Amino acid sequence: MVRQLIRNVILDETNERYHLIIKDGIFEAIEKADDMEVDAENFDFVFDGKGRVAVPGFVESHIHLDKALIADRLPNRSGTLQEALSVTAQLKSTFTKEDIEERAEKALQLLIKHGTTHVRTHAEFDPVGGFHGFEVIMDLKEKYKDYIEMQVVAFPQEGILKSPGTEDLMRRAMEMGADVVGGIPYNDSDIEKHLEIVFGLAKEFGKPIDLHQDFFDSSEKQTIELVARKTIEHGFTGRMGVGHLTSLGDCSGQKLEEIIALMSEAGISVMSLPMTDLHLGGRSDEKNVRRAVTPIRKLRDGGVNVVLASNNIRNPFTPYGNGDLLQVAMLAIPVAHLGGADDLPTVLPMITHKAAEAIGITNYGFTVGNPGTVVVLDTKRYQDAIIDIPKRLLSIFKGNIILENKDQVYLNLP
Ligand SMILES: [Zn+2]
């Protein structure tokens, strides 16, 4: 039996201190520090947070590990989505299994190093490139299972109908153990048929769906209403996630309210990806360049679960990023007007609890009986957990100590 004590940590906006006890990888007790007598001698491991904030790990709800860290190989000079797609397609033909493995593993370690404990990654395949990348990601999921919980999305980047043979490959990916059916309606020839194939596979394998919804600056070609209606029709309420959805940023008034109400009814989660959307969006604007990010506050206020994720780390879609979700959240604060007194407290959940909900993790959080996963941040006020961009002092995943930065806590200062 292994027992670990994480003492004097702040878990919520009350800023009260708690003690956490993990026994054999599971939370055994979570109590206010004042209410619990603890004797450090009874534990195999003790960490004193001294009033620092702890979160149950960061949740990266949308990332592409298989095409991370390629920005230096072939640049996307225009910064447009079109060039990002064509540059990536060229590069993909040069990827070997070893190359993908090396980069994906490095990207995964960047996430872990920054306190990410859960990740949903889109892994692609196509009739030309085959399953090299997909197999690498499935192997990493197994190799890192004691360090991070990974969900793999079967992702048809080049479209399904546009790229004949892809439907069969998707079925094979699901048989190989993919956790989620992916889709990319904005990059296919027939959106209705694309969606029917995706819903069909999700039903066949009993899995949720995660779509790359759209990447448009304008709302003219939005299809989120169609997706929401189909989600209800096919009985996928609460099991649909959509990434980007930048077209909604161009919607307003009654129309926007109607769409948001429909999305809320369909239980759709939105993964906003501001690092990518800001880089690729609004490229045709000569002045007052649009932010091209989905309307995060309006979605949130309309009852839609809206969360924040990275999408990419250093590639033609996103030529920066270091795998730190706190930096993504920090970027979203000014971009989406989330810095107000009432808004700021809603941001941290977008990379923790709300993100966990978006990807269907049910045993997440500081509850007795849940996996003993905790990340301690070097900040002393819950409300500052993002804007301090604090160092990660401790990361424990299911009782497994992954990161411990004693220097930060035990600085010999008053
Ligand atoms: Zn993506």
Side-chain angles (χ1 to χ4, degrees), residues 6-12 15 20 47-59 111-117 324-327 329 347-349 351-352 364 366 373-396 403-405 408-409:
I6 297 94
R7 63 197 300 183
N8 296 313
V9 284
I10 286 164
L11 308 182
D12 55 40
N15 290 310
L20 309 172
F47 184 93
D48 192 344
K50 295 185 177 178
R52 262 77 174 186
V53 174
V55 294
F58 294 123
V59 180
L111 297 182
I112 294 169
K113 194 176 123 185
H114 289 104
T116 306
T117 52
D324 185 355
L325 273 170
L326 280 177
Q327 295 214 7
V347 184
L348 185 60
I351 53 171
T352 56
Y364 175 89
F366 296 127
T373 297
V374 52
V375 173
V376 180
L377 309 171
D378 192 10
T379 182
K380 289 192 158 182
R381 227 177 128 244
Y382 190 80
Q383 291 80 351
D384 296 338
I386 294 167
I387 59 177
D388 275 351
I389 315 187
K391 286 213 163 56
R392 292 356 80 109
L393 300 180
L394 175 75
S395 178
I396 298 183
L403 176 159
E404 193 187 358
N405 189 345
Q408 297 300 321
V409 169

Side-chain angles (χ1 to χ4, degrees), residues 3-184:
R3 289 179 89 220
Q4 296 155 319
L5 169 66
I6 297 94
R7 63 197 300 183
N8 296 313
V9 284
I10 286 164
L11 308 182
D12 55 40
E13 50 281 346
T14 64
N15 290 310
E16 287 182 274
R17 292 183 180 202
Y18 284 79
H19 295 332
L20 309 172
I21 296 174
I22 300 171
K23 184 184 149 197
D24 292 334
I26 302 287
F27 282 123
E28 184 191 36
I30 298 161
E31 307 249 358
K32 281 187 186 160
D34 289 344
D35 300 344
M36 192 196 253
E37 288 280 325
V38 283
D39 183 354
E41 302 228 326
N42 296 333
F43 293 90
D44 302 282
F45 172 84
V46 177
F47 184 93
D48 192 344
K50 295 185 177 178
R52 262 77 174 186
V53 174
V55 294
F58 294 123
V59 180
E60 173 60 80
S61 56
H62 183 131
I63 197 164
H64 299 261
L65 296 171
D66 51 8
K67 51 187 180 200
L69 307 170
I70 51 170
D72 54 345
R73 295 189 184 177
L74 193 60
N76 169 4
R77 294 199 188 279
S78 66
T80 57
L81 171 64
Q82 206 173 17
E83 190 171 341
L85 286 167
S86 74
V87 162
T88 306
Q90 278 181 67
L91 283 172
K92 259 164 69 175
S93 64
T94 69
F95 289 174
T96 62
K97 204 168 173 174
E98 294 70 31
D99 174 36
I100 298 171
E101 190 173 3
E102 201 187 318
R103 290 182 294 96
E105 186 160 8
K106 212 166 159 186
L108 189 62
Q109 289 190 2
L110 282 173
L111 297 182
I112 294 169
K113 194 176 123 185
H114 289 104
T116 306
T117 52
H118 301 74
V119 57
R120 174 179 280 187
T121 189
H122 293 254
E124 52 192 87
F125 43 81
D126 56 71
V128 184
F131 277 101
H132 279 349
F134 187 83
E135 283 165 359
V136 164
I137 300 299
M138 292 303 292
D139 289 349
L140 283 178
K141 177 183 170 177
E142 175 63 21
K143 183 174 173 183
Y144 279 82
K145 68 176 194 287
D146 295 330
Y147 303 87
I148 191 165
E149 194 172 305
M150 212 163 142
Q151 294 179 2
V152 180
V153 185
F155 178 46
Q157 168 79 73
E158 312 302 335
I160 302 175
L161 301 147
K162 239 174 75 176
S163 180
T166 300
E167 186 180 346
D168 289 342
L169 296 183
M170 286 191 74
R171 183 167 286 101
R172 238 178 93 198
M174 297 313 295
E175 285 163 1
M176 285 161 75
D179 304 283
V180 182
V181 180
I184 186 160

Side-chain angles (χ1 to χ4, degrees), residues 158-391:
E158 312 302 335
I160 302 175
L161 301 147
K162 239 174 75 176
S163 180
T166 300
E167 186 180 346
D168 289 342
L169 296 183
M170 286 191 74
R171 183 167 286 101
R172 238 178 93 198
M174 297 313 295
E175 285 163 1
M176 285 161 75
D179 304 283
V180 182
V181 180
I184 186 160
Y186 80 86
N187 189 29
D188 215 342
S189 48
D190 186 329
I191 290 169
E192 291 242 13
K193 276 189 193 153
H194 183 103
L195 292 174
E196 287 309 318
I197 292 169
V198 169
F199 278 107
L201 284 167
K203 280 184 195 169
E204 189 180 330
F205 289 90
K207 300 290 185 189
I209 300 172
D210 195 324
L211 303 175
H212 278 67
Q213 178 57 30
D214 69 55
F215 233 133
F216 307 131
D217 290 348
S218 144
S219 60
E220 267 169 49
K221 290 187 283 175
Q222 64 86 8
T223 56
I224 187 63
E225 280 180 287
L226 176 69
V227 166
R229 279 200 301 274
K230 283 195 180 289
T231 300
I232 296 168
E233 206 178 290
H234 286 285
F236 274 74
T237 306
R239 289 190 294 152
M240 170 66 81
V242 300
H244 301 291
L245 189 62
T246 56
S247 66
L248 215 54
D250 184 47
C251 251
S252 62
Q254 181 73 20
K255 183 70 194 169
L256 180 60
E257 273 177 36
E258 278 170 25
I259 294 176
I260 289 178
L262 185 63
M263 289 175 68
S264 172
E265 189 193 335
I268 293 177
S269 286
V270 178
M271 288 77 162
S272 180
L273 310 166
M275 293 216 304
T276 303
D277 297 340
L278 283 165
H279 181 66
L280 299 176
R283 287 280 173 170
S284 60
D285 296 344
E286 285 185 23
K287 62 171 190 171
N288 287 333
V289 176
R290 280 170 285 185
R291 299 179 186 202
V293 171
T294 205
I296 294 175
R297 293 170 76 224
K298 290 207 169 99
L299 284 163
R300 181 201 64 194
D301 294 345
V304 175
N305 183 34
V306 54
V307 306
L308 297 163
S310 301
N311 194 34
N312 289 298
I313 301 175
R314 302 183 197 202
N315 74 8
F317 298 85
T318 319
Y320 39 73
N322 62 355
D324 185 355
L325 273 170
L326 280 177
Q327 295 214 7
V328 175
M330 185 63 231
L331 175 67
I333 289 171
V335 162
H337 288 165
L338 290 165
D342 297 331
D343 292 310
L344 198 53
T346 69
V347 184
L348 185 60
M350 292 179 188
I351 53 171
T352 56
H353 288 90
K354 292 284 184 182
E357 187 189 323
I359 64 170
I361 300 164
T362 52
N363 59 1
Y364 175 89
F366 296 127
T367 303
V368 171
N370 274 356
T373 297
V374 52
V375 173
V376 180
L377 309 171
D378 192 10
T379 182
K380 289 192 158 182
R381 227 177 128 244
Y382 190 80
Q383 291 80 351
D384 296 338
I386 294 167
I387 59 177
D388 275 351
I389 315 187
K391 286 213 163 56

